[in-house]
Amino acid sequence: MSTITYSAARPSRLRAFLGRAFRKPAFVTGFAILVLSLALAIFPHVLAPYDPLAFDLNAIQQGPSLAHPFGTDNFGRDMLSRVIWAYSVDMQMAFFATVFALIIGVTVGALVGYYGGIADMIFGRCVDAIITFPFLVLVIAIVAVLGPGLVNMYVAITAVNWVYYARLTRAEIMAQKANDYAAAGRVLGYSDRRIIFRHLLPNAISPVIVYWMTDMALAILLGSSLGYLGLGAQPPAAEWGVLIAEGRNFLMTAWWMSLMPGIAIVLTGLGFSLVGDALADLLRPRGR
């Protein structure tokens, strides 16, 4: 009977959490933006009206119209189609540029926060060495050594960004380790792995998830910046930073070439930020 009660309580808590979430306008707005962004990223071939790589020399740099709502570029390519296809690349960047840093950082932070001692001292020196340099400068330097491209960009961002997840996780694990349930687990003879990953980490992960949502918005900005500099996605691929770079020489005559992908960056980043802020409020312990 106790097992049935426990298993039924979990979906009940989930429903209660979702009910509170969808009563928040910020969460609803951000969630709607992200759902639309995911739909555009998964089904660009269905939603894009034209081939994003098809030249049309009879429609070069045409302004927004019914035929081309976002106008066309200097090769007559439909900007709406190119912006839509760019969702696939940029949403991919938001995930892969952060998920490996999340996994590595959470694992290292949990272990360091639990064991402390020499591991904590070595971790502190690694953190000092990495955060001494500005984040963007260090990422650009690594990409410049490895070469341009999305995979090398993910490697560079992960090599720097894991530290921030590890610092946050370490602090949360150290706070949770001081609670009575952690001491009870040790008294009962639980292994360190069980205490860390089944008891401490689930109670420490909420701030990390909130940070991850915000970090995905920053990853889109960073990936677009590297694409603009020629270090991320490479032409003729449709990516927002690449599209802005292609339109920078035509700002006076074809402003839509840079404006439309810029709006897409802002809206998608806003979606992640709104969901992250709402989750921060929802996951905040009561009484604080």
Side-chain angles (χ1 to χ4, degrees), residues 192-212:
D192 289 347
R193 184 175 66 178
R194 178 173 179 176
I195 294 173
I196 294 171
F197 294 105
R198 292 188 60 182
H199 299 282
L200 295 179
L201 191 56
N203 289 290
I205 200 66
S206 295
V208 180
I209 297 300
V210 172
Y211 179 77
W212 184 33

Side-chain angles (χ1 to χ4, degrees), residues 7 13 16 39 43 87 104 145 150 155 176 189 194 221 226 232 236:
S7 61
R13 287 197 297 267
F43 305 109
Y87 270 94
I104 295 171
V145 172
L150 289 177
V155 171
Q176 293 295 327
R194 178 173 179 176
L221 293 174
L226 293 175

Side-chain angles (χ1 to χ4, degrees), residues 33-44:
I33 292 173
L34 293 185
V35 168
L36 176 60
S37 299
L38 285 174
L40 293 171
I42 296 171
F43 305 109

Side-chain angles (χ1 to χ4, degrees), residues 1-239:
M1 178 63 68
S2 60
T3 303
I4 296 175
T5 303
Y6 175 73
S7 61
R10 295 181 63 183
S12 177
R13 287 197 297 267
L14 178 60
R15 284 195 297 268
F17 177 82
L18 292 176
R20 289 190 294 120
F22 281 100
R23 286 195 294 269
K24 289 184 171 293
F27 181 86
V28 173
T29 303
F31 183 78
I33 292 173
L34 293 185
V35 168
L36 176 60
S37 299
L38 285 174
L40 293 171
I42 296 171
F43 305 109
H45 55 287
V46 175
L47 300 172
Y50 299 95
D51 182 342
L53 300 179
F55 289 10
D56 184 356
L57 300 183
N58 294 318
I60 292 176
Q61 290 187 346
Q62 288 187 356
S65 63
L66 290 177
H68 302 284
F70 285 10
T72 60
D73 66 6
N74 54 314
F75 293 108
R77 295 174 294 191
D78 180 64
M79 285 302 301
L80 175 59
S81 299
R82 289 180 64 74
V83 169
I84 289 175
W85 275 91
Y87 270 94
S88 299
V89 177
D90 284 86
M91 293 299 285
Q92 171 189 310
M93 290 194 307
F95 181 76
F96 287 109
T98 57
V99 68
F100 299 112
L102 169 71
I103 294 170
I104 295 171
V106 166
T107 303
V108 172
L111 294 175
V112 169
Y114 183 78
Y115 289 109
I118 186 68
D120 196 28
M121 184 181 68
I122 295 173
F123 173 72
R125 300 293 78 77
C126 290
V127 170
D128 292 341
I130 292 175
I131 67 174
T132 298
F133 302 94
F135 181 86
L136 182 59
V137 172
L138 192 54
V139 170
I140 290 175
I142 296 174
V143 174
V145 172
L146 297 177
L150 289 177
V151 174
N152 290 340
M153 185 188 75
Y154 300 150
V155 171
I157 295 175
T158 301
V160 181
N161 202 28
W162 71 270
V163 168
Y164 299 94
Y165 288 95
R167 291 174 67 191
L168 179 58
T169 305
R170 170 186 171 274
E172 293 295 324
I173 290 291
M174 292 180 69
Q176 293 295 327
K177 188 174 66 172
N179 291 330
D180 292 339
Y181 73 86
R186 289 190 290 270
V187 170
L188 291 172
Y190 292 166
S191 65
D192 289 347
R193 184 175 66 178
R194 178 173 179 176
I195 294 173
I196 294 171
F197 294 105
R198 292 188 60 182
H199 299 282
L200 295 179
L201 191 56
N203 289 290
I205 200 66
S206 295
V208 180
I209 297 300
V210 172
Y211 179 77
W212 184 33
M213 294 301 299
T214 304
D215 197 36
M216 282 195 278
L218 297 176
I220 290 177
L221 293 174
L222 178 59
S224 298
S225 300
L226 293 175
Y228 180 87
L229 296 173
L231 298 174
Q234 300 297 299
E239 190 276 321

Side-chain angles (χ1 to χ4, degrees), residues 226-260:
L226 293 175
Y228 180 87
L229 296 173
L231 298 174
Q234 300 297 299
E239 190 276 321
W240 293 329
V242 173
L243 298 184
I244 293 174
E246 290 175 348
R248 64 187 169 187
N249 294 325
F250 307 100
L251 288 176
M252 300 303 295
T253 58
W255 48 266
W256 54 87
M257 289 179 59
S258 293
L259 178 63
M260 299 308 181

